[in-house]
Amino acid sequence: MTNNILSDLNPQQLEAVTTTEGYVRVLAGAGSGKTKALTQRYAYLVETAGINPGSIMCVTFTNKAASEMKKRIRNLIGDLDLAYITTFHGFGHRFLKEESHLIHYPKNFIILDDLDTETIIKNAMEELGYTSKDITVQKAKDYIGSEKQRWVYINLLIDSTLENLLKYRKDATSVETKIFGEYLYAQRKTYGFDYHDLIQFPLFILNNNETTCKKWQQRLEYVMVDEFQDVSDNEYCLVKILSDYHKNLFVVGDPDQTIYSWRGAKVNIILDFDKVFPSTKTILMNQNYRSLQRVISAANSLIDKNKKRIKKDLTPVQEGTGHAIYFHAKSQQEEADWIAKQILSLNEQGVGLSNIAVLYRAHYVSRSIEEAFLKNKIPYTLFSGVPFYSRKEIKDVLSYLRLISSDDDLSFNRVVNVPSRGIGKKRMKLLQDIAEKRSCSLFEALATNLDHSMFVNTQAKDFINLILACRATYHEKNITDTLIQILDESGYEEFLRSSGDLDRLDNLSELKQSIYEFETTAGEDYELEDYLNQIALFTNLDTVEKKNTVKMMTIHSAKGLEFPFVFLCGMNEGIFPSSRTKNLDELEEERRLAFVAYTRARIGLFLSESEGYTYDNAFRHPSRFIFNTEKANLDYIVELPEELVVDAKRRIKANEAWINTGARLKIGDVIKHPIFGNGIILDINEDLRSYVISFEKIDTERSISFVAASQLEVINE
C-alpha cells in the first residue's frame, strides 16, 4: 500500500508526504498539487506509520474542500473514521459538543449563521427603537465582530443570568453597546453560538482549563492545516495550542494567494512561520500541473511586482503554449460584445460552455456582460448570488425544523406567522414582554397563554400543537418524514404553491433532496440537530453547480476552482485594483487577487477593459495590473494609443504616491515643503489627486499633487 501512496509524486511532494515530524511549512504555488500532497500525507501517516485517524486533525476552510479530501483519502486507505478532517468552524462545533458542560451550555446548542445574526440585530434595533439613521445592520454586525475578538463577552455569556444580561443592555450608553447587549441576551436565551464563538469558545476553554487543554493536545498527535495563507490570528492561535504537546504542525499554503484580509487573514502569518518556529522545515512546491506556459508566464510576471512575498516562480509541467490575450475596447459594450464573440468562437471549436468562466472584481461589473450574453443567447450561471441555504423559503423550512429541536426564538419569530396565523406586531410585542418577564422562550410564552384574549381568535393553538406533536415523535422518525409532516400540516407547501412561484417550489424540492442525501450517508447514529448544524456550517462556495453554462463569478468565489478558459473583465483602474485601496498592503492584496484570477486558467487567459467615461465623468484607464504583466507575456489584440498609456501611467503614479503617503498625511497635519516652507493640510481632494495646503509664507492655498507628496515632511511634533 505504501508504494501506491507514494507513487506519482514529484520530489517536493514526496518530501512533504514523508516528513512526518516537527514544524513543516509547504509553500505550494497555484496548481502545484497541494491537495494531493495533503491527502497522500494523511494516508501515509495512517497506512504506513500506523497512526490512528482519530489522532490526526486536518482543517481547511470549506465543507466542499473537506469532503473532497475525505473522498480522496478513502480511495487510498478505505472507509475509516475521518471526523477530524473538517473546517475550523466544524472542529469548533465538535469540540464544543464534547466540552460545552465546562461553560454551562447544553449539548443541543444551536449554531447561528450570518442571517440569524442579522435577524437578531434587526430585532434588537426594533426593540430599542433604532433605525438605519442611528446605525446600519452592517455597522452593528461589524461592531459585534470586533467585540468578539476579545474574551470579555464570553464571561458575560457563561457567568451572567438572563436578568444580568438585560441589566448590561440597559446600562449600556452607546447605540452599539446596547445592540451588543441585546445580541448577547438573544444568544444566551437560545444557547446559540455564532461563527466567532466556534473559534473563541474553544480558545477560551483551552486557555483556561489545563486538564482539557492537555487532553486535546495529547489526542491530536498531528495537526495539518490547508490553505494556511487564509488563517486568522485566532485560527492560528488554535492550531498552535493544539499542536504544542507533540509539536507536529504541518501547514500548506501560498502567500501569493492571500486574498481574505477582510475575513482576518494575514499574509505575515505564513511568511513569518519559520520565525515563530525556528526549527521549521520549508518545502517549496512550484511545479504547476494546471496551466500552460503563456498563462504561467503572465501570472509570474504580475505577482513578481509584489514585495511582501517569498519568490517562487511557477514552472509548467503540461506541454503546450496556451494563450494569454489582452483586449482594449472603446466602450463597455464593445468589451462585452468581444467577450461574447470569443466565447461563441470557442464553443464553435468544440469547447463546452461549462469549460469557460468569466471573472470580475465586483458584482456590478457583470451587468454589461450579462446583457451581451442575453443578446447572443449564451446561457450562463451567475454565482455568488444568494446562497441556497440563505433563500427565504429554505430558511423558513429550516426554522420550522430548528424549532422542533429547541426553543429557538429566532426560528419562532421567523415562522410563527408564515403562513399568516393572525399573529402580528402587537401580539408579538405581548409575547416578548411575557418572555422577558418570565425569562422564558417565546414559544413557551405562547404555549402557556393560548387562552389569552389576544390569541383566542388566531391560529396560535394549531401552530403550538403542530410543533409539540413533531417534538414528541421526531426522535423516532427520519428527518424526511418530519419535514413532510411540517410542510403538510403547517400549510407552508400549499402556501408556496398558491403563490405561483415555481422557483421557490424547486428550491423546496432540492432541500428535500439534501435531507435525503444526508440520511443515506450519515449512518444510523444521527439526529435532526446534526443535520441542522451541518447546514449552518455550509459556506457560500458549497453550491450545486449547473452544467453547460458559462460560469460568472467574482474572483473571490473562484478561489480553489479552475477552468480551461478564463475571461477576466473590467481590468480598469478604480475597478481592479479597487478604488477603495488605501495602502500598500491592500494594493498587494489586490495584485494577489489578480494572480488568483490568472491562475484559474488552464489553457487560455483573456484580459479585457474598456475606455470611456463613468457616470460621474471620470475617464476609465487600463489597470496597472495590465502594465504589471510584462508585455512579452500578453498578446495585445489592440495596440494601446501612446497618449492613453502616458495618461494611465501618470494617474497610476499619482495613485501610488497617494498610497505611499496617504497613511501618514491627513487633514490638520503640519508639513514642511522644500520650496514653500511650513504649512497645514486643509483638505484632501481625491478627484484631483492632491492635498490642499495653506502655507505660512503664501497668502492663498496651494494644491500639491499626490505624486509630489513624497517630498513633504510631517512636522506635527
Side-chain angles (χ1 to χ4, degrees), residues 535-573:
I535 296 304
L537 292 169
F538 280 164
T539 68
N540 287 357
L541 288 181
D542 300 325
T543 308
V544 177
E545 189 174 319
K546 296 181 181 178
K547 296 180 179 179
N548 301 319
T549 62
V550 176
K551 310 297 186 293
M552 298 183 64
M553 67 189 77
T554 64
I555 304 167
H556 282 99
S557 297
K559 177 73 165 61
L561 304 177
E562 61 182 68
F563 306 90
F565 299 92
V566 168
F567 290 80
L568 179 57
C569 61
M571 292 288 284
N572 291 96
E573 282 292 304

Side-chain angles (χ1 to χ4, degrees), residues 372-412:
F373 283 2
L374 291 168
K375 183 173 65 177
N376 289 277
K377 297 182 179 179
I378 298 173
Y380 66 92
T381 300
L382 190 65
F383 283 64
S384 314
V386 179
F388 179 80
Y389 291 103
S390 299
R391 295 170 188 168
K392 181 182 183 306
E393 61 278 8
I394 304 303
K395 290 290 291 183
D396 287 346
V397 176
L398 292 177
S399 291
Y400 269 109
L401 292 175
R402 279 197 352 192
L403 194 56
I404 293 170
S405 171
S406 63
D407 278 0
D408 174 11
D409 281 358
L410 290 174
S411 296
F412 180 93

Side-chain angles (χ1 to χ4, degrees), residues 653-684:
K653 185 179 179 182
N655 178 258
E656 289 180 345
W658 175 78
I659 284 175
N660 282 320
T661 62
R664 67 182 181 89
L665 295 185
K666 57 186 183 295
I667 294 174
D669 278 348
V670 179
I671 54 87
K672 184 177 181 179
H673 189 279
I675 296 175
F676 301 137
N678 293 351
I680 185 170
I681 296 178
L682 300 180
D683 195 14
I684 300 174

Side-chain angles (χ1 to χ4, degrees), residues 68 143 145 237 292 302 304 365 420 522 533 595 660 685 705:
E68 177 63 23
Y143 179 82
C237 187
L292 299 185
L302 170 73
D304 195 52
V365 179
S420 177
N533 286 331
F595 175 78
N660 282 320
N685 192 322
S705 71

